[in-house]
Amino acid sequence: MGEPRKNLYERYEPIRRYVEVGFWIVLMTLQAAFSTVVAIVDASTRAAMPHPRWQVATWEVSSHFVLLLLVPALVATERWLAPLARNHLVRFLAWHVAASVVFSVVHVVAMFGLRALVYAMAGSHYDFGGWVSQWGYEYLKDVRVYASMIFGIWAYRLFVLRLQGEARVLDAPEEGVAEPSLPPLGPALAEPKGFESSMPEVPPPQPVARPERFLVRKLRREFLIAATDIDWLQAEGNYVGLHVNGHDYLLRATLTDFLTQLDPARFVRVHRSHAVNLGRIKEIEPMDGGDARLHMHDGTTVPCSRRYRDALRAGAG
């Protein structure tokens, strides 16, 4: 039998970074070229003494070049603030407003610096004008650019999550459902009147709620996976990557918090950003320096740092 057919996400993942980087480069290049042409035409028709074309091109190219450099920071900002959107909307909006101000300040300072450098190389001088008034004008433009780029990054991230498969723990049983109680004690078994126990009443230990199944949404499909089917886990920013039977699904949680919900007799942390299902380990390959490489039954390998080797031995033993 041949290898299982890869789905759309698995075919896209190897070229994903190239597509993402290429998209932003092409987008900013086209926008810079279009804006430069429009600005040159506008300057030649409206100004009594039109600016040289190299100056107009410098204005537009410097702006879009700095925007391109700021894309990674915007991606990190969107990912960092995304968890606040559901339960802390005011804080979510306030942080984005503050981030837009920082974004505009960095954009303007870097943009003006590049323009001054190009002007100096051309033997000219770039006039910054009034900093306060100039920045206020630029911020009115930058806040719209910030909002559109953040929205685009959010929409793309949501699409990739649906393409890859986003998992969540199934909802806990509804509260308010009373458990069946024992019948009241009969007269023969009732406690003597006025009897008081000298021992304090100790509440029974509460079992830890451990998820048994996860609901995975993948584009327009939904299906369940069992917790015991997870081969290994990997921390991915605000998410945990669940690796199940050769497929990857993301769950919104930190690795540390999520491991507290899994069975410690089955799942063990083996690295700062990795944990494994002990039943899925096929072979442990020792490495130099005390580290190890874990070969899993699904054909993948997981790093194991030496500080977690003892926990791995204890769990495997």
Side-chain angles (χ1 to χ4, degrees):
M1 296 180 61
E3 295 183 0
R5 184 178 179 182
K6 293 184 178 181
N7 57 35
L8 180 58
Y9 176 80
E10 291 169 339
R11 296 196 300 269
Y12 173 61
E13 178 62 20
I15 63 172
R16 176 181 172 184
R17 296 306 176 193
Y18 299 101
V19 172
E20 293 171 351
V21 174
F23 168 80
W24 286 109
I25 293 176
V26 171
L27 177 65
M28 291 302 172
T29 300
L30 292 178
Q31 286 190 345
F34 180 78
S35 299
T36 298
V37 172
V38 172
I40 288 176
V41 172
D42 183 68
S44 62
T45 56
R46 294 189 179 185
M49 297 181 63
H51 294 279
R53 292 185 177 181
W54 70 267
Q55 292 184 358
V56 178
T58 299
W59 303 340
E60 299 299 330
V61 172
S62 62
S63 175
H64 287 83
F65 180 71
V66 175
L67 289 178
L68 179 62
L69 296 180
L70 287 173
V71 168
L74 291 179
V75 172
T77 300
E78 191 281 330
R79 180 179 290 272
W80 175 53
L81 296 179
L84 296 176
R86 295 182 180 179
N87 303 320
H88 305 281
L89 184 59
V90 175
R91 288 172 55 190
F92 173 77
L93 295 176
W95 274 111
H96 269 300
V97 170
S100 69
V101 173
V102 176
F103 167 81
S104 181
V105 170
V106 174
H107 178 222
V108 171
V109 171
M111 176 178 64
F112 283 2
L114 285 176
R115 293 177 183 179
L117 178 62
V118 174
Y119 272 59
M121 294 174 62
S124 183
H125 173 72
Y126 179 71
D127 185 11
F128 293 92
W131 275 99
V132 177
S133 60
Q134 189 71 11
W135 178 79
Y137 168 75
E138 292 293 338
Y139 178 74
L140 293 178
K141 296 189 300 181
D142 284 345
V143 69
R144 291 177 293 174
V145 174
Y146 175 88
S148 62
M149 293 178 71
I150 287 291
F151 176 79
I153 293 169
W154 169 81
Y156 172 74
R157 183 175 60 82
L158 188 64
F159 168 76
V160 171
L161 283 176
R162 292 295 182 263
L163 189 65
Q164 179 178 2
E166 184 177 13
R168 69 176 179 86
V169 178
L170 287 179
D171 296 334
E174 295 183 4
E175 297 181 359
V177 180
E179 296 183 357
S181 57
L182 295 175
L185 295 174
L189 299 178
E191 294 179 350
K193 190 174 182 180
F195 174 80
E196 294 183 359
S197 174
S198 59
M199 296 296 293
E201 185 175 340
V202 179
Q206 297 296 325
V208 179
R210 303 194 190 282
E212 297 181 356
R213 295 178 302 276
F214 302 91
L215 178 67
V216 174
R217 289 191 176 95
K218 197 165 188 176
L219 293 181
R220 296 185 178 181
R221 297 183 300 160
E222 293 185 352
F223 53 94
L224 296 175
I225 60 174
T228 54
D229 289 338
I230 299 175
D231 296 304
W232 53 284
L233 309 95
Q234 181 178 6
E236 300 184 23
N238 295 324
Y239 291 87
V240 176
L242 309 179
H243 298 263
V244 183
N245 298 324
H247 299 280
D248 301 336
Y249 310 110
L250 294 180
L251 178 76
R252 187 185 291 276
T254 64
L255 181 59
T256 300
D257 292 340
F258 185 59
L259 283 176
T260 62
Q261 304 179 52
L262 298 178
D263 185 357
R266 180 182 294 270
F267 293 92
V268 176
R269 192 165 195 158
V270 296
H271 189 271
R272 182 174 56 88
S273 57
H274 292 81
V276 298
N277 184 339
L278 293 174
R280 303 291 185 174
I281 299 176
K282 181 179 181 181
E283 180 184 352
I284 301 176
E285 178 186 358
M287 306 289 291
D288 294 336
D291 295 340
R293 182 184 294 122
L294 308 181
H295 296 267
M296 312 301 292
H297 280 285
D298 63 357
T300 59
T301 58
V302 178
C304 176
S305 60
R306 60 180 180 178
R307 62 175 295 192
Y308 293 102
R309 288 286 298 274
D310 291 340
L312 178 62
R313 292 193 188 98

